[in-house]
Amino acid sequence: MDETLDTLAEAAVKIAEAAGREILSIYAADFDVERKADDSPLTAADRAAHTRINDALTSKTPDIPVISEEGGIPDADIRRQWTRYWLVDPLDGTREFVKRNGEFTVNIALIDHGRPVIGVVHAPVLSRTYVGVQSLQSARAERRDTNGTTPLATRAVPDGAPMTLVVSRSHRSPAVDALLERLPDYETTSMGSSLKFCLVAEGSADAYPRFGPTSEWDSGAAQCIVEAAGGAVIRTDGSPLRYNTKASTLNPDFLALGDPNWPWAEHLAGFPLEER
């Protein structure tokens, strides 16, 4: 494993967990909810976590740029010159935060040549942190909680039993239902934020299909964890989901898969690619 990546990953874990503590202090009190231009919610916790993470990453690695959901997005001409940068969602699942159901996370990814090589997903209410690190030579994924550290591995699609698909609690789309109609026996579970990816990474679910608008900071950290655990995150044409390849920071439709060798392509045939 790349020693530098391991060192940076541990720094990202500490930064994410510190942001999580700040989020919880606001979560425990009354807070106002504002609306962004796209009508998505914004709270003091989003802002506080952004400031904490941005300042810490900039101090730790001043030579690595940072893109955060709550920070400004540099122009594409500037971004395309970057080979490596931090990609951050300070509070993923603000709707779940507002609902107080605990299903929100802090996401920090390191993107290298369009590919996530470090992923940290911290769930403050659960006191749980998922970590993925992958170089070209090796990979590791693990869950850290009050029980210690547990290695993660995705699972093969069960033979003769229903597969489990995890779907968005707040953003389920008709296209997801259309895919479900094509699949053999299945059951679904709902979850908020990037925890959906983590269920795939730990072998609790077989796939997470996401057809509908998401941004790169919604997926980067958790994609690294799924891939480091043995899974894949693909577009509907089977190609890997990649980053900083276009002017927009919106993702195309994608699926997080625990078992990339299962014949997903047969069931995705004809699904449109929605460029964003």
Side-chain angles (χ1 to χ4, degrees):
M1 179 60 65
D2 185 324
E3 184 177 353
T4 301
L5 287 183
D6 274 337
T7 300
L8 290 176
E10 292 309 311
V13 167
K14 292 179 180 178
I15 292 167
E17 292 178 347
R21 290 190 289 272
E22 193 146 357
I23 288 169
L24 286 180
S25 69
I26 297 170
Y27 190 63
D30 292 332
F31 53 83
D32 295 327
V33 181
E34 303 172 36
R35 292 287 167 179
K36 299 182 188 179
D38 63 358
D39 201 39
S40 61
L42 177 68
T43 70
D46 296 84
R47 291 196 178 95
H50 162 72
T51 299
R52 167 81 65 161
I53 295 168
N54 186 71
D55 290 354
L57 289 176
T58 301
S59 176
K60 177 69 177 177
T61 56
D63 57 330
I64 302 179
V66 179
I67 291 181
S68 169
E69 178 178 13
E70 307 309 335
I73 307 299
D75 186 80
D77 289 338
I78 295 174
R79 286 188 281 116
R80 68 169 53 99
Q81 299 175 39
W82 299 347
T83 57
R84 177 177 276 199
Y85 66 98
W86 294 106
L87 181 61
V88 176
D89 193 338
L91 177 50
D92 182 29
T94 304
R95 286 180 172 84
E96 317 310 328
F97 178 89
V98 171
K99 294 174 184 175
R100 295 184 185 273
N101 67 14
E103 295 177 0
F104 54 86
T105 60
V106 178
N107 300 345
I108 300 178
L110 181 66
I111 308 298
D112 192 326
H113 292 87
R115 174 175 173 263
V117 294
I118 292 173
V120 175
V121 172
H122 174 58
V125 171
L126 302 177
S127 299
R128 183 179 301 162
T129 303
Y130 294 88
V131 185
V133 185
Q134 54 177 351
S135 67
L136 294 176
Q137 292 77 34
S138 59
R140 66 176 172 88
E142 57 195 33
R143 181 182 66 239
R144 304 178 184 181
D145 55 27
T146 55
N147 295 319
T149 299
T150 305
L152 299 181
T154 60
R155 69 182 187 187
V157 171
D159 186 16
M163 69 170 65
T164 299
L165 281 85
V166 58
V167 297
S168 175
R169 188 177 297 285
S170 299
H171 302 279
R172 182 163 170 172
S173 69
V176 169
D177 292 322
L179 173 64
L180 296 181
E181 291 177 2
R182 297 183 175 196
L183 297 177
D185 197 15
Y186 68 88
E187 53 192 27
T188 63
T189 185
S190 297
M191 184 68 67
S193 74
S194 56
L195 289 170
K196 295 182 286 293
F197 288 89
C198 297
L199 291 182
V200 175
E202 66 185 11
S204 299
D206 298 296
Y208 160 43
R210 183 56 188 263
F211 303 146
T214 61
S215 294
E216 294 184 352
W217 47 74
D218 294 313
S219 58
Q223 176 175 348
C224 183
I225 295 164
V226 169
E227 292 176 345
V233 180
I234 64 168
R235 299 170 53 160
T236 54
D237 66 351
S239 63
L241 186 63
R242 288 292 178 257
Y243 296 82
N244 201 28
T245 62
K246 57 190 188 309
S248 172
T249 56
L250 292 178
N251 285 324
D253 295 340
F254 65 83
L255 300 92
L257 309 175
D259 182 359
N261 295 319
W262 196 76
W264 292 102
E266 297 176 11
H267 303 281
L268 289 169
F271 259 76
L273 270 176
E274 297 182 12
E275 295 292 350
R276 299 190 179 94

